[in-house]
Amino acid sequence: MVDADSGWHGRGGSNTPGAGSGGTHGAGPFQGRSGIPALPDGRSAPALPDRRSTPALPDHRSTPALPGRRVAAASLVALAALATGCEPGTATGAQDAPPPVRATRAAAPTASPATEDAKPPTAPTPSPPASTTPPAPTPTPEPARTTARPAPEPSTAPAPRILMRTGSESDRVRELQARLRQIGHFGRNPTGYYGSVTAASVRSFQTKRSLPVTGSTDEVTWRRLLGMTRVPTAAELRPPTERPVAAPDERCLKGRVLCISKNSRTLAWMIDGTVVSAMDVRFGSEYTPTREGVFEVFWKSRDHVSTLYDTPMPYALFFSGGQAVHYSADFAANGYGGASHGCVNVRDKKKVAALFDQVRTGDKVVVYW
């Protein structure tokens, strides 16, 4: 530091234009080692060393000695720099005054990426504050609407009217059975009675045609069946037997033969291979079976009564011991729910009566499966 009372009080000395390096009263801004020039703002400038001393830089480094006139020029440049505040530090002896602020040009933006401290040209949408509450789930977009048809509402239409059901008995039932037989759903001859076999046949037809499976014949089932079949003939409506007559055994193809099939449970009266009449029959039980084979009619008894069982045997045609073909009132009433004691029972009394009149003693009888 330089003492403030070193001889400079802001007044000029003599007007000598240029004092030498050792002059003490020369005019101008530099007046030797003892003279201190005044700065434009009135502050005292630091003392300048003589040509033999080295001025100190603001960062306390030394500069090389300047000879002769270069010392004065360098001193003037230093004073001008301190007066205008171009150095980043403060002048010696003026620590209490803040340095002037330098105006700087804003740097041109560069292409370098922004950092955390750099503000982007356009402020982004502020992030929501941190919270312990989990974020709301992102709504799932609705799937694309399809053109699926809505489920049909239950129909309020009344159910089809039932025309025939189990227990019915009529000519229409006979026609139903004949039509079902035409397309393979009824394996017997029509009887006119709507029993379990007929109900099962109707269910089979309804299942095959994708109709409601009830076993009863309603208007829809009946119309569908009429559209698929033809009007039955008289022979189809009233065949001679309940079940189709079996193909005759080869032993039945010649002569006059009572051809009896245990498999089809039918009797065919044949002359030289032609069926004259046919009827339903049943046989003996497993304990009293009907004998099989080829036999002859050896006795005819119109109003016979069994002496062994005390049972009527009208229109009896005996062919093997006590076994005979005859009418059975039990068979007519109960069907195949019963059995004989070995005889061949016939349930159609009119047919067996006509047969009794045609068959002669010595005619052949063939019983087979």
Side-chain angles (χ1 to χ4, degrees), residues 251-271:
R251 295 169 292 182
C252 301
L253 299 179
K254 293 182 180 180
R256 296 163 61 92
V257 183
L258 292 174
C259 195
I260 303 170
S261 170
K262 283 187 172 182
N263 184 43
S264 65
R265 293 186 284 189
T266 60
L267 182 153
W269 166 234
M270 301 180 66
I271 298 176

Side-chain angles (χ1 to χ4, degrees), residues 39-41 43 76-89 91 98-103:
L39 295 177
D41 56 0
R43 292 179 295 164
L76 291 176
V77 172
L79 286 176
L82 289 175
T84 57
C86 292
E87 294 293 331
V101 179
R102 290 187 299 172

Side-chain angles (χ1 to χ4, degrees), residues 5-257:
D5 295 330
S6 56
W8 175 262
H9 298 286
R11 296 185 304 271
S14 74
N15 293 327
T16 305
S21 62
T24 58
H25 299 286
F30 183 74
Q31 297 183 3
R33 287 183 299 176
S34 60
I36 301 175
L39 295 177
D41 56 0
R43 292 179 295 164
S44 298
L48 297 177
D50 59 8
R51 66 181 64 178
R52 293 184 302 272
S53 63
T54 303
L57 295 178
D59 56 0
H60 306 292
R61 291 177 295 169
S62 299
T63 58
L66 300 178
R69 296 177 182 177
R70 289 184 182 181
V71 175
S75 298
L76 291 176
V77 172
L79 286 176
L82 289 175
T84 57
C86 292
E87 294 293 331
T90 56
T92 303
Q95 289 86 349
D96 296 335
V101 179
R102 290 187 299 172
T104 58
R105 293 180 58 188
T110 61
S112 59
T115 61
E116 292 181 356
D117 296 334
K119 183 177 181 180
T122 57
T125 303
S127 300
S131 173
T132 58
T133 304
T138 304
T140 304
E142 294 184 2
R145 299 191 176 206
T146 62
T147 57
R149 296 165 58 187
E153 296 182 359
S155 175
T156 58
R161 184 168 62 95
I162 301 297
L163 303 178
M164 294 166 277
R165 57 165 54 92
T166 301
S168 301
E169 187 172 6
S170 65
D171 286 342
R172 181 179 275 188
V173 173
R174 189 180 293 273
E175 181 182 355
L176 168 70
Q177 294 167 336
R179 287 179 180 272
L180 288 171
R181 184 178 177 186
Q182 288 178 8
I183 55 178
H185 287 280
F186 190 73
R188 300 184 181 184
N189 289 333
T191 62
Y193 178 76
Y194 204 120
S196 59
V197 175
T198 303
S201 299
V202 171
R203 282 194 295 269
S204 173
F205 174 77
Q206 290 171 333
T207 301
K208 184 71 176 291
R209 307 303 165 188
S210 300
L211 298 172
V213 181
T214 62
S216 298
T217 304
D218 55 31
E219 292 177 324
V220 175
T221 301
W222 181 243
R223 286 196 300 268
R224 181 69 66 87
L225 181 61
L226 292 179
M228 298 179 61
T229 56
R230 55 177 173 78
V231 178
T233 65
E236 290 175 329
L237 289 172
R238 285 176 171 81
T241 60
E242 178 182 314
R243 295 174 182 272
V245 178
D249 186 275
E250 62 181 4
R251 295 169 292 182
C252 301
L253 299 179
K254 293 182 180 180
R256 296 163 61 92
V257 183

Side-chain angles (χ1 to χ4, degrees), residues 291-297 319-320 323 362-367:
R291 289 184 283 272
E292 302 164 18
V294 180
F295 310 94
E296 289 183 359
V297 176
F319 62 89
S320 176
Q323 295 184 356
D363 288 343
K364 188 190 297 185
V365 177
V366 178
V367 181

